[in-house]
Amino acid sequence: MKSVMACQGISKSYGAGDILERVLKRVDLELFEGQASVLVGPSGSGKTTLLSILGCLLAPSEGQLLIADQTVNFSDKSSLTEVRRKKLGFIFQHAQLLPFLTIEENLAIVGRNAGMEDMDIKQRLDGLLQRLELKVMRYKYPAQLSGGQRQRVAIARALLHRPSIVLADEPTAALDWNTGKTVVELLLEQARLEKAVLVVVTHDTRMLPLFDRILTIADGLLSEQRQTAAVENTFYTQP
Amino acid sequence: MNSVAIPVATQMLFHNRPRFIMTVVGIAIAFFLAAAQIGLLVGWINTNSAIIKHAGVDIWVMAQETRTLDYGTAIPRHRIQQVSSVQGVAWAEGMLVGWVNWQHPEGKHITVEVIGLDKANAGGPWLMPEGNISSIHLPQTVVVDELSKQTLGVRQIGDEAEMEGRRVIIGGFSRGVRTFTASPFVFTSIDNALDYVAYYQDDEISYVLVRIDPGADVMQVRDRIAREVSHVEVLTTAEFAERSVKYWMLETGVGITVIITAALGLLVGAVIMSQTLFAITQDHIANYATLLALGFHQKTLRQIVLTQSLSLGGLGIVVGSVLFFIACNASATTPIPLETTPMVSTSLILFSLLCCIASSWFSIRAIFKLDPVMVFHG
């Protein structure tokens, strides 16, 4: 399988001297095309920090991040923005759609920002709205949608510009179990269809069997578990 | 300009319509306030220099250190002949300016500014809706402006009043000869004026008005008159108009007050704009963080804020300009009308837009400090 993203000895510390806090400790990780990984761990274990580094939003204190075999230059904000613009898709806990734009506009601006042609955006938008059963919501505003529908729009937004990596931060936290499961299943289905790397942070252990890889983080140390071992583990916060 | 900036900026503004409308109204009122103050200033300047500019002459000859048209002092009448003999002068005639007491038919007293005109009536009214300006050459006959009818206690041609205890007859009414002082202009002939203005001798006038030969250089003729005619000051029409305006604006302090008020109007507008833009930016700070996280450049976000700033400012200026236009029309027949010129209007609009851009500085600073990682913390 083709390697899309790799962490090499990534550490992250906050503070200095006596109050130095090491949130991530030498994380090594390789993520492959079309592979869906779930990142689990107790609160404060470093999940969001790792996701922020993978999303080129936070610079590591040590180590390096490679995307498509290119080392990410965290000191150049403009190049970080370019990586996010072209190669990354994000899904946030509360969808974070722009409330003053319709669903169509929320999606279209991402395509335009990524430099897609208008015709390409339209075709892509039509396809995603169809696949995610959002066609009738096209001209509605986020406030007119349910939480599940908003997360489906967020999935469409994350995939619209064909990113090679999709990162999701607790996309089901604000949803009930059935809606959350549907959203994750849709996300997995679409990411696989697009052959994108998918990394999802979640607290909900019931979601784990849906993913290809289960990554566990505790006290800043990353490890990988087999499906059965992960499901039986008890330190996760139950939803 | 990123193609996303304009739709995002405008929809963000229109999303909260009551606030959008209130902001535009606030900016419009602030712009109107500034425009009205500057319009007052322009109207005032035009009023100050109207007689000089409408006289249709090229050069004014006057006593040395004359500060303004209204305070002309005596020079010998034969200066007219002396000036006429200077090379490049096509024509010259006199004008007399003095201050006298006017008594209403009902007995009320006020001070008026008498303008005594020579044969060609240069420096006289330029519009005469009632009567004829040549009537001033009849004995005791004067022309006043229709705006001064009530102040002078006259209603129609033939009405009588008194100046310095002597009878005057209204021979006509002019239009547009305003004064910002409480003393209206009263036009008559130099000979009539000498009867009323006691501090002038019979062989004295205040000004010599000069037209130059076609093709002659006004500056050269001005300098030649200054060299050949003694004990006088010689100014072109533009120079004299500017001196009169400067006197009333700067030496009396009134103009400075108007300028300060205009500047305050613009400042208030800029503050309203700045506060509103900052509030809008703060309300949408999470949205901006989301856009940053999604790969929008800081430059695009700055364009969004600037687009909002210019949209609010532009609309405020349009609405404010409409209000100003209405006010200009309404004040057209008052002693001090609101007026403007294309250059003043353009400068005011550009300066206001500059204020709008400057007012977005706080918002741009807030965005510049934004950390997109905050999207992961709700």
Side-chain angles (χ1 to χ4, degrees):
Chain A
M1 273 197 291
K2 188 179 162 193
S3 172
V4 175
M5 178 180 251
C7 298
Q8 295 176 349
I10 282 186
S11 299
K12 181 68 185 176
S13 307
Y14 293 107
D18 291 345
I19 53 164
L20 181 78
E21 187 188 358
R22 293 192 72 189
V23 181
L24 291 178
K25 297 166 187 166
R26 296 200 57 78
V27 170
D28 291 309
L29 176 66
E30 193 161 17
L31 298 163
F32 299 96
E33 187 182 79
Q35 198 173 57
S37 307
V38 64
L39 182 61
V40 289
S43 294
S45 57
K47 299 188 298 291
T48 301
T49 301
L50 180 57
L51 199 69
S52 300
I53 292 170
L54 296 180
C56 300
L57 295 167
L58 188 67
S61 306
E62 289 170 38
Q64 57 182 8
L65 177 71
L66 285 88
I67 294 178
D69 296 328
Q70 299 279 311
T71 303
V72 174
N73 180 4
F74 279 94
S75 60
D76 180 359
K77 279 191 176 180
S78 183
S79 74
L80 290 178
T81 305
E82 277 303 296
V83 172
R84 293 200 298 272
R85 189 168 81 97
K86 293 263 172 79
K87 294 181 176 166
L88 294 171
F90 289 94
I91 299 161
F92 309 111
Q93 194 171 331
H94 297 289
Q96 311 274 65
L97 303 174
L98 302 183
F100 46 86
L101 298 181
T102 62
I103 300 314
E104 183 186 71
E105 290 163 343
N106 260 287
L107 300 180
I109 59 163
V110 174
R112 269 193 227 129
N113 188 54
M116 292 167 69
E117 296 290 331
D118 282 352
M119 188 55 79
D120 189 20
I121 293 172
K122 190 183 176 305
Q123 284 173 357
R124 187 80 178 138
L125 212 146
D126 288 342
L128 282 166
L129 291 179
Q130 175 84 42
R131 273 151 55 185
L132 292 160
E133 296 173 4
L134 288 165
K135 277 199 113 167
V136 290
M137 309 294 170
R138 189 177 192 128
Y139 301 112
K140 291 193 172 177
Y141 286 91
Q144 296 171 290
L145 272 56
S146 69
Q149 287 168 334
R150 280 200 287 270
Q151 280 302 32
R152 273 151 55 196
V153 177
I155 292 170
R157 183 177 66 181
L159 294 167
L160 187 109
H161 57 301
R162 301 185 185 89
S164 51
I165 302 151
V166 176
L167 305 171
D169 182 35
E170 309 215 25
T172 61
L175 307 175
D176 61 70
W177 160 246
N178 284 327
T179 312
K181 184 166 179 284
T182 308
V183 165
V184 168
E185 282 172 347
L186 271 171
L187 175 58
L188 283 162
E189 181 189 314
Q190 298 306 319
R192 281 173 182 147
L193 205 63
E194 306 281 338
K195 293 184 177 173
V197 164
L198 176 65
V199 179
V200 177
V201 167
T202 184
H203 274 107
D204 193 341
T205 55
R206 291 172 295 182
M207 300 287 182
L208 302 191
L210 301 170
F211 291 86
D212 303 323
R213 294 173 72 183
I214 298 165
L215 305 170
T216 305
I217 193 160
D219 293 328
L221 292 167
L222 185 77
S223 59
E224 188 162 355
Q225 297 193 29
R226 286 185 299 113
Q227 284 283 4
T228 48
V231 175
E232 286 162 6
N233 210 327
T234 53
F235 66 72
Y236 306 116
T237 308
Q238 292 298 318
Chain B
M1 173 76 79
N2 187 304
S3 63
V4 171
I6 291 174
V8 170
T10 50
Q11 307 237 40
M12 195 188 284
L13 278 183
F14 298 150
H15 191 59
N16 188 341
R17 282 194 190 155
R19 179 162 68 181
F20 169 74
I21 292 167
M22 290 311 293
T23 307
V24 171
V25 169
I27 294 165
I29 290 171
F31 177 82
F32 170 70
L33 185 66
Q37 290 298 327
I38 292 169
L40 201 63
L41 193 66
V42 172
W44 198 46
I45 287 169
N46 287 342
T47 299
N48 264 323
S49 55
I51 288 178
I52 300 171
K53 286 177 178 169
H54 281 97
V57 298
D58 304 302
I59 289 169
W60 291 68
V61 180
M62 63 201 78
Q64 284 166 337
E65 302 295 321
T66 301
R67 292 173 295 173
T68 172
L69 173 87
D70 310 272
Y71 295 140
T73 51
I75 55 173
R77 199 166 185 168
H78 65 257
R79 296 276 184 254
I80 300 173
Q81 285 74 39
Q82 287 179 322
V83 170
S84 297
S85 65
V86 173
Q87 189 194 340
V89 172
W91 165 97
E93 72 172 25
M95 179 195 257
L96 186 149
V97 176
W99 298 75
V100 298
N101 184 277
W102 174 284
Q103 190 175 4
H104 276 217
E106 297 83 26
K108 186 180 165 190
H109 289 265
I110 61 161
T111 300
V112 297
E113 188 172 346
V114 173
I115 307 283
L117 305 177
D118 216 334
K119 295 184 191 73
N121 304 319
W126 47 96
L127 282 174
M128 286 292 296
E130 290 179 66
N132 194 310
I133 187 61
S134 57
S135 64
I136 61 169
H137 297 286
L138 297 172
Q140 301 175 324
T141 306
V142 298
V143 164
V144 297
D145 198 83
E146 58 186 7
L147 283 171
S148 312
K149 280 181 177 176
Q150 201 178 348
T151 316
L152 297 172
V154 292
R155 288 193 301 273
Q156 58 197 8
I157 293 173
D159 278 0
E160 294 185 5
E162 284 186 4
M163 277 201 309
E164 296 293 320
R166 293 164 186 240
R167 190 171 77 128
V168 289
I169 306 162
I170 302 299
F173 291 99
S174 63
R175 178 171 291 165
V177 186
R178 299 182 176 89
T179 175
F180 58 92
T181 67
S183 303
F185 288 109
V186 174
F187 294 96
T188 188
S189 65
I190 290 177
D191 292 337
N192 285 341
L194 285 168
D195 288 340
Y196 298 109
V197 187
Y199 53 88
Y200 273 81
Q201 304 294 316
D202 283 350
D203 60 348
E204 288 178 340
I205 53 169
S206 312
Y207 300 98
V208 178
L209 282 59
V210 178
R211 271 190 211 138
I212 60 169
D213 284 328
D217 183 273
V218 69
M219 304 308 265
Q220 283 178 2
V221 177
R222 179 198 67 177
D223 294 343
R224 208 173 290 136
I225 296 170
R227 272 197 310 273
E228 295 180 17
V229 181
S230 55
H231 305 300
V232 290
E233 190 163 7
V234 189
L235 299 175
T236 64
T237 293
E239 287 169 343
F240 190 36
E242 188 185 335
R243 180 185 284 192
S244 280
V245 168
K246 273 187 180 167
Y247 169 76
W248 287 109
M249 263 179 63
L250 304 176
E251 292 186 41
T252 63
V254 182
I256 294 293
T257 311
V258 176
I259 290 168
I260 289 171
T261 317
L264 282 175
L266 285 175
L267 187 68
V268 168
V271 170
I272 290 174
M273 170 87 103
S274 180
Q275 281 185 332
T276 310
L277 261 185
F278 190 67
I280 291 171
T281 307
Q282 286 301 311
D283 280 359
H284 290 284
I285 205 80
N287 299 142
Y288 282 116
T290 302
L291 289 170
L292 269 183
L294 292 178
F296 286 73
H297 281 278
Q298 278 275 357
K299 189 177 73 181
T300 307
L301 304 193
R302 285 198 293 271
Q303 285 171 354
I304 290 172
V305 172
L306 280 174
T307 304
Q308 289 178 338
S309 170
L310 290 173
S311 305
L312 286 170
L315 280 169
I317 288 168
V318 168
V319 177
S321 298
V322 171
L323 291 176
F324 179 66
F325 181 73
I326 293 167
C328 282
N329 280 337
S331 68
T333 53
T334 63
I336 303 186
L338 296 181
E339 290 175 356
T340 188
T341 65
M343 199 187 82
V344 168
S345 297
T346 307
S347 304
L348 180 63
I349 288 169
L350 289 178
F351 182 71
S352 302
L353 287 174
L354 209 65
C355 285
C356 294
I357 292 169
S359 70
S360 61
W361 184 79
F362 288 104
S363 298
I364 286 172
R365 197 163 150 260
I367 286 172
F368 199 73
K369 286 181 171 177
L370 196 59
D371 187 352
V373 82
M374 72 180 274
V375 291
F376 285 136
H377 303 288

